[in-house]
Amino acid sequence: MSVDVAYPVFHTPDPALALRVARQLLRVGDQKDAKVDVDVELPRAEDVLLILRAMPDAWFRKEDADDWGRDTSDPTGLHAGVHGSQLSTDAAFLSRHLPLWASMLDQPVGSIEDTFTAVASKYVAEIRWNYLVWPEVAERDLYADSKHAEVTVLFNAATREMDEWSNGHTVLAHVRRRSGEGYEERHASWLAEQIGRTVIGPPQFS
């Protein structure tokens, strides 16, 4: 089973600039089948309501470290996920279950990124584009790849686990992990070069 590795190629305090650089990186690959996912952690009831107004089709959930199986018997529905149309807007109810996460998965590229960046980039949040295809680069001994060709923007998060606050926003280029010394970093470096960037930090593993 193959896995991916992500390399940071850009970091900035400006969320709109991070989105712009990520879109430049997207254009290095084939986007024909690409989709986009977004996810944001919401620490207060008013934050939940803000995201609900901006993204009424989002799904809201509670993450418990001891409950990764998503307890579907939970009467609130929040362990399985609640669609925005069904989410209670009662602040007292929401406050009892914080933090909540809001996400939208498998959306068309270009459909939600600007809205999400505008409302969610002050929180710990993520935009991830998947189902890209990185091209073959024969002269650099780099293979085409679709399974692990992804681009991520991390807002205020130090790592892909999104469990540690970090000031600023980071663009990650994802590539397939391969046996062969240095292959992954060479691939990520080539991708970064195509948009005038370089690898700026250590790899992040899934």
Side-chain angles (χ1 to χ4, degrees):
M1 181 174 125
S2 60
V3 293
D4 79 314
V5 57
Y7 285 84
V9 299
F10 186 67
H11 185 79
T12 177
D14 182 344
L17 180 57
L19 177 59
R20 187 156 65 247
V21 170
R23 283 171 161 160
Q24 293 171 354
L25 189 56
L26 286 179
R27 291 194 287 270
V28 177
D30 183 340
Q31 302 177 57
K32 178 171 63 72
D33 296 318
K35 298 291 184 181
V36 62
D37 301 340
V38 297
D39 204 14
V40 57
E41 183 182 29
L42 304 167
R44 302 174 303 172
E46 54 262 45
D47 302 322
V48 176
L49 295 174
L50 171 68
I51 296 299
L52 179 61
R53 288 192 296 270
M55 299 168 48
D57 281 330
W59 286 80
F60 294 81
R61 71 186 189 280
K62 184 173 179 61
E63 294 281 10
D64 287 338
D66 298 325
D67 188 21
W68 294 112
R70 300 281 165 79
D71 180 9
T72 55
S73 67
D74 168 39
T76 70
L78 289 169
H79 286 92
V82 175
H83 187 263
S85 63
Q86 301 298 316
L87 183 70
S88 170
T89 57
D90 177 68
F93 168 82
L94 295 173
S95 295
R96 290 196 296 272
H97 300 287
L98 296 171
L100 291 181
W101 288 78
S103 61
M104 294 179 69
L105 306 180
D106 292 328
Q107 300 300 301
V109 172
S111 63
I112 57 172
E113 295 95 314
D114 291 293
T115 295
F116 185 79
T117 299
V119 297
S121 60
K122 61 185 176 181
Y123 308 112
V124 171
E126 173 190 60
I127 302 175
R128 187 177 71 254
W129 295 265
N130 44 44
Y131 306 116
L132 300 162
V133 180
W134 296 139
E136 178 183 11
V137 187
E139 66 273 19
R140 298 281 284 270
D141 195 27
L142 299 174
Y143 302 102
D145 183 43
S146 57
K147 185 172 182 181
H148 300 297
E150 299 180 358
V151 174
T152 293
V153 178
L154 294 176
F155 296 108
N156 305 305
T159 69
R160 296 165 66 181
E161 284 72 29
M162 299 170 66
D163 57 2
E164 180 182 347
W165 178 273
S166 174
N167 291 325
H169 319 296
T170 304
V171 178
L172 302 174
H174 298 242
V175 295
R176 180 190 295 263
R177 292 180 67 182
R178 294 184 181 272
S179 55
E181 188 173 348
Y183 179 90
E184 299 95 337
E185 186 165 356
R186 286 195 299 107
H187 197 176
S189 294
W190 181 86
L191 292 168
E193 287 171 19
Q194 307 317 297
I195 60 169
R197 307 292 175 182
T198 62
V199 169
I200 60 172
Q204 297 191 17
F205 301 97
S206 56

